[in-house]
């Protein structure tokens, strides 16, 4: 049997205290000198074979604690030490789940008027809600799905949520009235929201900060490309079949993804993996001694939680996204800015059919092709950023003596944020003046570049700042973002009716230029001070020069 590092801690196990929140896949930070120089009667480390029977268990004379941790920094069972092929298999499978949800959010857009006619929906607000109510569920689902993934693990939460999405998305295709349709659509959105919150946590589990930018770039492409690919396919399905097949087609595709997930998705959350390891140890040894002494088996994360009941832990986990938003200025500021960008993106998704139907008089199948312009912008920016974000991060980290900072994620994306107002101005005024249809497409291209840049950079920043609770942090950010994605398309028709496309988009562009881009520049300059006010954000990421591949250290005290 392979040797197992065992920490024996003689103490009263009911006297545990809360300790700082930890990076989920790293050893807890220690303020003690190296163990070789700090042996004491209260704590010692035994490098012994894993006991297969009670007779082989470590001999102790009073109540003791066996702490379960990784078998050293190179333990192959630690997700951060997995082979790159295995990591990317999990990440790409995760992206497929995200893609299915994102497709469903917008694939219905070209068929919205068919749905309205078939289900007797007459109000323009209700027509827009057939699309955006799905995004409203995105604001609710991550608030409890993200924390649940930090309790039960990533895979079980993702698979069950996706099964919910699959069932209710199928139900949308059989809806007979608008009430059924809206209810099914919202419930499908709840299930489909899981990848948006869990996905960031999975990336945090798999990669260290200096290599995470590329993974975030690839993963972010799915929720951005889905709303683009969906309407292209949905336009032709609606034109040559029925709107119901839009939902049935997604259900068929998602069934394949669900099957792939059962085979390829592996658990990545370190506390869950170590709990399983502790369970195996308990099964191989007697924790109750014949002499009345008890050997308590706990993971390093359970030990750090101290004397907290299951109910208290569950409540604390579920309210974590709310507490993060209330207490963390990073979450508040980025949440508001991402909400605006996401709202603008969904205004474009929902008004594009109107532009090319009313101004250019195109059929659903053809107008759906114009989403490709937006998709090209998203893809172009995602590919460039996936390379530059990591490259710039490593350069700046090495220049800073091997100490990385989340702010290093922002520098490469700042130029891209200026593409947002440029795209809005081009798309709005070319549609207003009835120029050639390529004019709005050029605007949508720049809009895609700006949106992708903002999403990738800010998502990487949040993950780096809150590594252990990345899922909860992203859930807090995505709540406002999704509320904007739901609400903005509802007022957009009235804004464009009153002001026209040119003036309406000019107002949005002015906000982007006056608030959005300067906000990122200010975070680049003063982000470290803002994080210094945080109770949970990691202040720095310590990297070992020269290759900046091994991360150590931990977050600030909670």
């Amino acid at each position: 049997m392979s040797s197992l590092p065992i920490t024996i801690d003689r103490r009263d196990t009911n006297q545990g205290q809360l300790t700082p929140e930890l990076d989920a896949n790293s050893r807890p930070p220690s303020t003690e000198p190296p163990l070789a120089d700090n042996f004491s009667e209260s704590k010692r480390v035994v490098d012994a074979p894993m006991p297969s029977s009670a007779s082989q268990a470590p001999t102790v004379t009073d109540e003791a604690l066996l702490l379960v941790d990784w078998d050293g920094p190179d333990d192959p069972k630690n997700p951060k030490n997995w082979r790159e092929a295995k990591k990317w298999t999990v990440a790409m499978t995760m992206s497929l789940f995200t893609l299915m949800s994102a497709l469903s959010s917008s694939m219905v857009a070209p068929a919205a008027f068919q749905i309205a006619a078939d289900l007797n929906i007459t109000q323009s607000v209700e027509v827009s809600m057939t699309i955006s109510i799905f995004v409203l569920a995105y604001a609710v689902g991550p608030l409890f799905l993200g924390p649940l993934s930090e309790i039960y693990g990533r895979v079980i939460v993702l698979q069950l949520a996706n099964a919910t999405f699959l069932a209710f998305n199928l139900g949308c295709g059989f809806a007979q009235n608008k009430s059924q349709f809206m209810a099914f659509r919202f419930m499908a959105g709840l299930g489909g929201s899981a990848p948006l919150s869990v996905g960031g946590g999975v990336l945090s589990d798999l990669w260290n900060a200096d290599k995470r930018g590329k993974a975030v770039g690839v993963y972010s492409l799915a929720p951005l490309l889905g709303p683009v690919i969906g309407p292209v396919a949905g336009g032709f399905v609606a034109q040559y079949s029925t709107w119901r097949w839009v939902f049935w087609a997604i259900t068929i595709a998602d069934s394949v993804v669900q099957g792939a997930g059962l085979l390829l998705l592996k658990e990545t959350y370190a506390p869950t993996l170590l709990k399983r390891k502790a369970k195996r140890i308990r099964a191989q040894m007697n924790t109750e001694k014949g002499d009345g002494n008890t050997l308590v088996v706990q993971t390093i994360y359970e030990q750090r939680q101290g004397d907290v009941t299951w109910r208290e832990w569950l409540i604390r986990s579920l309210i974590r996204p709310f507490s993060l938003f209330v207490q963390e200025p990073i979450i508040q500021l980025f949440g508001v800015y991402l909400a605006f960008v996401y709202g603008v993106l969904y205004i474009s998704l929902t008004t594009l059919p109107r532009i090319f139907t009313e101004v250019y008089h195109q059929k659903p199948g053809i107008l759906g092709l114009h989403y490709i312009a937006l998709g090209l912008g998203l893809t172009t920016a995602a590919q460039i950023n996936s390379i530059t974000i990591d490259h710039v991060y490593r350069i700046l980290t090495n220049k800073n003596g091997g100490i990385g900072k989340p702010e290093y994620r922002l520098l490469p994306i700042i130029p891209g944020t200026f593409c947002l107002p440029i795209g809005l101005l081009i798309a709005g005024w070319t549609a207003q003046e009835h120029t050639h249809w390529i004019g709005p497409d050029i605007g949508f291209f720049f809009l895609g570049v700006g949106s992708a840049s903002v999403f990738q950079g800010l998502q990487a920043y949040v993950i780096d700042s809150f590594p252990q609770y990345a899922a909860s942090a992203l859930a807090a950010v995505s709540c406002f973002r999704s509320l904007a994605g739901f609400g903005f398309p509802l007022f957009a028709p009235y804004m464009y009716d009153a002001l026209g496309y040119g003036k309406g988009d000019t107002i949005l562009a002015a906000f982007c230029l006056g608030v959005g881009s300067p906000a990122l520049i200010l975070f680049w300059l003063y982000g470290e001070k803002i994080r210094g006010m945080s109770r949970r954000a990691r202040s720095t990421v310590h990297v070992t020069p020269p290759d900046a591949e091994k991360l150590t250290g931990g977050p600030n005290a909670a």
Side-chain angles (χ1 to χ4, degrees), residues 421-494:
I422 293 173
L424 285 167
L425 291 173
I426 294 176
W429 285 107
T430 52
Q432 180 73 32
E433 300 299 326
H434 295 203
T435 65
H436 190 273
W437 56 261
I438 196 66
D441 282 355
I442 294 174
F444 290 131
F445 172 84
F446 280 101
L447 183 63
V449 171
S451 299
S453 298
V454 171
F455 280 111
Q456 286 178 277
L458 298 194
Q459 190 168 42
Y461 187 98
V462 171
I463 292 174
D464 283 2
S465 298
F466 305 93
Q468 181 180 0
Y469 297 118
S472 291
L474 291 175
V477 170
S478 68
C479 178
F480 261 96
R481 183 186 74 185
S482 300
L483 287 173
F486 167 74
F488 274 42
L490 300 183
F491 74 74
Y494 301 103

Side-chain angles (χ1 to χ4, degrees), residues 35 48 55 62 94 248 287 331 383 395 399 449 458 550:
L35 286 171
S55 62
D62 54 7
M94 184 78 220
W248 296 338
T287 57
I331 302 297
Q383 294 304 309
I395 291 175
K399 287 185 177 181
V449 171
L458 298 194
K550 298 293 183 180

Side-chain angles (χ1 to χ4, degrees), residues 172-194:
C172 287
F174 291 100
Q176 300 301 311
N177 55 60
K178 67 179 181 181
S179 298
Q180 291 179 1
F181 182 85
M182 295 293 187
F184 291 158
R185 186 93 167 119
F186 181 82
M187 292 302 298
L190 282 180
S193 67

Side-chain angles (χ1 to χ4, degrees), residues 21-28 69-70 78-80 150 154 201 204-206 212 268-274 300-301 466-470 538 553 555:
E21 297 173 343
L22 310 171
D23 186 342
N25 292 65
S26 305
R27 287 185 64 92
D69 194 358
W70 300 117
N78 185 340
K80 279 189 166 63
E150 294 165 350
R154 315 294 192 193
S204 178
D205 298 340
L206 291 173
R212 196 182 296 142
T268 63
Y269 193 50
T272 299
L273 293 174
L274 290 180
I300 53 174
Y301 300 100
F466 305 93
Q468 181 180 0
Y469 297 118
R538 170 176 288 183

